[in-house]
Amino acid sequence: MRIRIVGAGAMGRGIAQWAASAGHTVELCDVRREAVTAAVDFVRSMLERAVDKGRMSAADSASALERLVALDDPWAAGPDVGLVVEAVREDLDTKAEVFGKLEQVLPASTVFATNTSSLSVTRLAATLADPSRLVGLHFFNPVPLMKIVEVVPGAATRPDIPPALTALVEGCGHRAVTVADTPGFLVNHAGRGLVTEALALLEESVAGPSDIDRIARDVLGLRMGPFELMDLTGLDVTAAVIDSIWEGFRHEDRLRPSYLTPHRVTAGLHGRKTGRGWYAYGSDAPASEAEPPVTGDADRPVFVAQTASPSAAALREALVAAGAAVETGSEPSGDSVVLAPVWGTTVASAVAALGLPAGRTFGVDPLPAAGRRRVLAVTPAADPPAARDARAVLARAADGEERYAVSVVRDTAGSVAQRLLASVVSVASAMAERSLASPADIDLAVRIGLGYPVGPLSWGDRVGAARMLELQRALYATTGDPRYRPTRWLTERGQLGLPLTAPGTSPADCTGR
């Protein structure tokens, strides 16, 4: 196919490299001719690097460059152009102007695709004489490495276009997911689950950015913590996406922004690109904040409270295997520290319900850690020396195993990792409930696009739909905050014993339509 790419910036040149490498003839153009020259040089360097690293043969590299055509005039006639991909700046009027001019010079059979990441495809299509020819084709940067593309039909898009573009994308080695034309599409929408909840935890002084990031990495298994991710993306970009998606979904509580971001954006604390965000960067930046050493008495007796969490027995067994002095009675002794695994509730509620000693009782997150980290939650009534001893006990490991790192956080419903996971699963479940994309596409796009260890719905299935429902209900009941209200998708599947990844039976399945 002959593909014209309008816009020779980072996205345009990445799409050009991807399409030319896959065997398509690519016309690359821009209103700035010097941008096209720079983009062709960049693609050449990337292809040469691929050859040097053994990912491409020299012959294939040369062929791809031959298929890359530097076009002087974006509005030149193109009778053979089958697809246009627009990759200009994220502004509706600018994009509409581009497509308006292209409509005058390209045949009616040419499909128009916009690489917008946030604008409504339907609104953009409405500016054209023929809105049925426009579709969203959202790539991620860097295009050759981010092997996922969102295909976004507008309300008027011809029904034959999305499957044709899906076949094109997958024929070029990427995966394609079909997504409804809604704010944030799929990946950016799904990503709000992690960052909005991380900001809420920071708002409530549950933990600082570095501790939340460590827990996200070492307990949940994420490659980057949410604050590291915001610094990499740019807080200005992240805050704008959070606000636009929240407003687009009519102030949905699950997507509620934080009051923390506007002032930081105004102050220029955008992250890596400004040298300072949640962390400092650059040659003169201070070293990363070190975790405080474990100083307590690891041999102090410990009592594991029999809370409603099914993980109490597993924690007791792990501590016994590590050689801790675990008490076996039905009540704690007068000297022991008490560890209470809580699921969606607070340590304070366990103290009140079970009559536990407030100064010596601490919460433990029962989620199985992806790494060697445990989380200790302290209440305002906690005795500091007892907390240090509890931390030392939790740091113990069985012979031959690495000791656990132990993060100390403020008591909150569900602790840090549970709240982050619940929010990620909840936002994805709401997307599935609204049929914004299929469950399989939600998981695929998030896993590739955001680098999660598993898709959010599959992640919920690892815990179990019924147990995730129990977590959401407990968070909602404990906090009263509607952001934790269980979705219908989660509720039905938890009650019916279905996985979160199952589309389930629809009325259409029962009528033969």
Side-chain angles (χ1 to χ4, degrees):
M1 177 182 288
R2 193 173 190 91
I3 301 172
R4 179 175 297 183
I5 298 172
V6 182
M11 293 305 300
R13 67 194 186 190
I15 298 168
Q17 178 185 336
W18 167 79
S21 297
H24 298 284
T25 300
V26 177
E27 298 177 351
L28 181 59
C29 53
D30 196 289
V31 292
R32 299 170 297 119
R33 293 190 179 185
E34 65 275 13
V36 178
T37 301
V40 171
D41 290 342
F42 177 83
V43 172
R44 180 182 292 107
S45 69
M46 290 297 100
L47 294 175
E48 289 172 352
R49 180 181 298 182
V51 172
D52 292 341
K53 292 187 175 183
R55 296 197 298 259
M56 175 182 275
S57 70
D60 287 343
S61 173
S63 296
L65 277 174
E66 288 178 1
R67 289 189 291 270
L68 181 58
V69 179
L71 195 65
D72 290 336
D73 181 9
W75 327 123
D80 299 327
V81 174
L83 171 68
V84 169
V85 181
E86 164 273 310
V88 303
R89 69 189 183 92
E90 195 73 347
D91 175 77
L92 183 69
D93 292 339
T94 302
K95 293 177 184 291
E97 181 183 358
V98 167
F99 284 119
K101 291 181 178 179
L102 291 170
E103 261 192 318
Q104 305 302 314
V105 297
L106 296 179
S109 59
T110 303
V111 173
F112 287 173
T114 173
N115 184 53
T116 180
S117 60
S118 61
L119 300 176
S120 166
V121 174
T122 299
R123 284 188 62 195
L124 180 56
T127 67
L128 300 180
D130 178 11
S132 71
R133 71 195 299 187
L134 181 72
V135 68
L137 199 62
H138 181 210
F139 293 82
F140 295 84
N141 192 33
V143 175
L145 300 180
M146 295 292 287
K147 296 183 178 294
I148 190 74
V149 182
E150 296 176 331
V151 179
V152 189
T157 302
R158 290 201 321 264
D160 61 298
I161 291 179
L165 288 185
T166 295
L168 171 71
V169 167
E170 300 204 335
C172 293
H174 277 31
R175 302 293 297 274
V177 292
T178 302
V179 188
D181 183 19
T182 55
F185 304 144
L186 195 164
V187 173
N188 283 333
H189 182 174
R192 297 320 92 199
L194 179 69
V195 294
T196 54
E197 193 62 29
L199 288 165
L201 287 162
L202 184 61
E203 276 186 15
E204 298 166 28
S205 301
V206 174
S210 58
D211 274 321
I212 294 172
D213 280 350
R214 289 177 183 126
I215 292 167
R217 292 192 308 265
D218 298 343
V219 177
L220 296 180
L222 295 171
R223 287 192 299 209
M224 297 184 74
F227 294 97
E228 294 171 311
L229 180 61
M230 283 186 268
D231 274 1
L232 179 64
T233 305
L235 187 60
D236 54 333
V237 175
T238 298
V241 171
I242 290 174
D243 287 347
S244 67
I245 293 175
W246 180 63
E247 291 165 3
F249 281 98
R250 300 300 186 264
H251 299 174
E252 163 66 52
D253 286 298
R254 240 177 285 279
L255 304 169
R256 189 168 64 238
S258 168
Y259 69 79
L260 293 172
T261 55
H263 282 176
R264 298 186 72 87
V265 171
T266 301
L269 303 176
H270 297 173
R272 290 179 179 271
K273 62 187 176 185
T274 60
R276 186 179 167 203
W278 300 108
Y279 303 99
Y281 301 92
S283 57
D284 58 346
S288 300
E289 179 186 359
E291 293 188 72
V294 175
T295 58
D297 179 7
D299 295 320
R300 182 165 175 171
V302 59
F303 178 83
V304 178
Q306 189 59 51
T307 61
S309 169
S311 303
L315 175 62
R316 187 181 296 108
E317 291 173 6
L319 292 175
V320 169
V326 180
E327 295 182 340
T328 57
S330 59
E331 294 183 357
S333 68
D335 186 48
S336 63
V337 292
V338 180
L339 299 179
V342 290
W343 189 247
T345 58
T346 62
V347 182
S349 65
V351 169
L354 302 176
L356 300 171
R360 295 184 283 121
T361 299
F362 309 94
V364 180
D365 193 331
L367 275 174
R372 303 294 293 180
R373 182 173 298 278
R374 287 171 170 158
V375 181
L376 185 76
V378 300
T379 71
D383 174 53
R388 288 191 284 272
D389 292 345
R391 184 169 181 245
V393 170
L394 274 183
R396 297 183 68 130
D399 289 343
E401 293 184 351
E402 180 186 357
R403 293 181 73 202
Y404 284 91
V406 181
S407 295
V408 181
V409 303
R410 181 180 179 177
D411 184 27
T412 184
S415 196
V416 173
Q418 290 172 42
R419 281 180 54 173
L420 293 175
L421 177 58
S423 183
V424 166
V425 174
S426 182
V427 170
S429 295
M431 295 173 70
E433 183 176 297
R434 292 183 173 110
S435 300
L436 304 189
S438 70
D441 279 355
I442 292 170
D443 271 3
L444 174 68
V446 172
R447 181 174 54 80
I448 298 176
L450 298 178
Y452 287 4
V454 65
L457 299 175
S458 295
W459 207 344
D461 282 339
R462 284 186 175 184
V463 177
R467 195 166 182 224
M468 287 301 304
L469 177 58
E470 179 188 345
L471 173 59
Q472 290 279 8
R473 283 176 167 169
L475 288 170
Y476 186 29
T478 303
T479 65
D481 190 337
R483 77 186 292 141
Y484 302 115
R485 176 177 49 82
T487 62
R488 186 187 67 197
W489 188 271
L490 174 60
T491 301
E492 289 177 337
R493 280 152 183 77
Q495 293 171 333
L496 296 171
L498 294 174
L500 297 177
T501 48
T505 303
S506 71
D509 295 328
C510 304
T511 59
R513 285 185 294 178

